[in-house]
Amino acid sequence: MTSLPKRLEMRFEPVGMLRAEMVFREAVEGVPRMKGNGNIEAEGSVVKASYPLM
């Protein structure tokens, strides 16, 4: 990722999950894998990540 996101949204879900969505101006490539139980994925200019807090 070469630039800061133009939009960042984070939310905590009652089931103990933290979710984040970042939207960039350009397509994102080379998103690193998340270690542990979390998930991260990129599609075009959107990167979504989720991670259990408990």
Side-chain angles (χ1 to χ4, degrees):
M1 288 177 264
T2 60
S3 64
L4 296 174
K6 67 179 186 177
R7 183 175 64 84
L8 170 62
E9 178 182 317
M10 296 182 77
R11 65 185 177 274
F12 172 76
E13 296 183 0
V15 295
M17 183 74 69
L18 177 65
R19 297 192 188 272
E21 180 175 294
M22 297 161 277
V23 179
F24 293 84
R25 287 178 171 62
E26 300 173 0
V28 178
E29 296 181 16
V31 174
R33 286 272 196 212
M34 183 180 284
K35 294 182 180 179
N37 296 331
N39 182 51
I40 188 165
E41 57 189 54
E43 183 175 320
S45 63
V46 179
V47 177
K48 296 180 181 180
S50 59
Y51 193 79
L53 298 175
M54 298 181 181

